[in-house]
Amino acid sequence: MAKQLELNISGMTCGHCAMSVTKELSKLDGAANVNVNPQAGTASLEVAESVDQAAVAAAVEEAGYELVSSNA
């Protein structure tokens, strides 16, 4: 079963930022429907129930940004 995540991410400013974050979040277990809005500093996606806050934060950090908050 999947869960819906809503993320606030700092440091994104452009389409390239969104592509980087999308690429890393898409690697999460069961990731689907990844939608990143760099102007708003947000992202939404579906992931497997087993994905935790640390994995989400690590994916955002791998892209070069900081996870500010999440409903994970």
Side-chain angles (χ1 to χ4, degrees):
M1 183 161 182
K3 63 182 175 180
Q4 181 72 29
L5 299 182
E6 301 296 329
L7 313 175
N8 289 312
I9 301 169
S10 69
M12 297 189 300
T13 59
C14 65
H16 183 267
C17 299
M19 286 186 347
S20 296
V21 172
T22 299
K23 178 182 174 184
E24 293 303 323
L25 289 175
S26 294
K27 294 178 182 177
L28 292 170
D29 185 28
N33 301 320
V34 179
N35 184 14
V36 179
N37 182 333
Q39 289 77 26
T42 62
S44 62
L45 69 152
E46 294 175 19
V47 294
E49 285 287 337
S50 60
V51 172
D52 64 9
Q53 177 82 14
V56 175
V60 172
E61 289 173 15
E62 183 66 27
Y65 305 96
E66 180 183 356
L67 180 63
V68 177
S69 66
S70 166
N71 68 339

